[in-house]
Amino acid sequence: MRFLVITDLHQNKPNVGWINEEIKKHGAEFVLFLGDVTDFGSKETAAAIVSAIDSKVYVIPGNCDPLDLPEGVSKVAVDMHGKAAEVGGYRLVGLGGSNITIFHTPFELDEDALRDGLEKNASEGMILMTHAPSYGILDQIPSGLSVGSPAVKEIVDKYHPILALSGHIHEAMGVVEQNGTTFVNPGPAKDGRFGVIEIVDGKVKAEIFRH
């Protein structure tokens, strides 16, 4: 199973062109979109962007997306906010929005809401897609401060996903393997960043690229 991972497009609509090129180039079976589809835009804008991607898309909102994004994209993609789906024999569990920030962005959740939103669908060895990263992993801003979610970390520690995908922190792109989980932040798609993930027999291979 091979798929493309994108996040933090921030309404840069022309970039959908290269995203479609990379889907074809890498033979991606589907796309996981980790949020910030828009830049404080509408659900209609989000739906227009997602529908222009030439692939099946599983999508969650980011903190800069409208609260009704899940409703807006549900006719053109698979809404994964607070939901689970089966992909290639694996359980995919999603939750959008971010933990509380100092910026008072539209789609922020407290730690209890993040924990509860994931716990209801979580299972051992799942693929986890969140906008906010797990606290302490791929979550450092330029000052060196970790701003990830303790609740996401709790879920990771409890259920040991084989893959934990996040965005949100643009500077913290990378691939980290820890305690059997591969953590990936592909970097912002607005800057041409994306990830390609391949999972074969439970083994994860993850690479991040710049178009």
Side-chain angles (χ1 to χ4, degrees):
M1 178 171 74
R2 183 183 295 142
F3 54 93
L4 214 72
V5 180
I6 55 173
T7 186
D8 297 276
L9 182 66
H10 288 281
Q11 216 160 305
N12 193 327
K13 296 177 187 177
N15 281 17
V16 173
W18 69 252
I19 290 168
N20 287 336
E21 290 175 21
E22 297 294 353
I23 290 167
K24 208 172 286 184
K25 175 181 172 183
H26 291 278
E29 297 166 49
F30 54 89
V31 172
L32 300 187
F33 201 152
L34 308 179
D36 282 352
V37 180
T38 75
D39 202 44
F40 308 103
S42 67
K43 66 178 181 181
E44 290 82 10
T45 297
I49 290 169
V50 172
S51 66
I53 297 174
D54 293 336
S55 175
K56 185 170 187 176
V57 183
Y58 297 80
V59 62
I60 55 174
N63 59 300
C64 295
D65 287 317
L67 290 173
D68 57 1
L69 179 140
E71 173 196 337
V73 301
S74 62
K75 290 181 180 175
V76 297
V78 182
D79 162 36
M80 288 298 299
H81 180 57
K83 296 184 170 70
E86 295 297 319
V87 291
Y90 297 92
R91 186 169 178 83
L92 175 66
V93 174
L95 190 73
S98 76
N99 46 330
I100 304 300
T101 77
I102 62 172
F103 303 109
H104 306 292
T105 48
F107 213 128
E108 298 183 9
L109 302 169
D110 64 27
E111 295 298 328
D112 287 342
L114 287 167
R115 184 185 304 104
D116 293 348
L118 289 169
E119 181 81 56
K120 67 181 181 180
N121 292 313
S123 65
E124 186 76 17
M126 63 185 163
I127 297 171
L128 183 64
M129 57 182 298
T130 59
H131 185 65
S134 176
Y135 182 81
I137 302 176
L138 300 175
D139 73 333
Q140 288 189 338
I141 58 176
S143 68
L145 184 69
S146 282
V147 294
S149 164
V152 174
K153 184 181 188 314
E154 282 180 43
I155 294 295
V156 166
D157 290 346
K158 183 174 180 180
Y159 292 99
H160 313 102
I162 61 167
L163 177 63
L165 303 164
S166 65
H168 189 43
I169 312 303
H170 295 191
E171 309 87 354
M173 70 189 79
V175 178
V176 173
E177 292 183 36
Q178 187 171 302
N179 300 325
T181 298
T182 301
F183 296 84
V184 180
N185 174 348
K190 74 179 183 67
D191 296 332
R193 304 284 184 178
F194 66 101
V196 176
I197 313 287
E198 190 164 24
I199 305 177
V200 179
D201 298 329
K203 307 263 188 217
V204 177
K205 179 186 175 186
E207 295 182 90
I208 56 176
F209 299 92
R210 185 167 193 170
H211 177 77

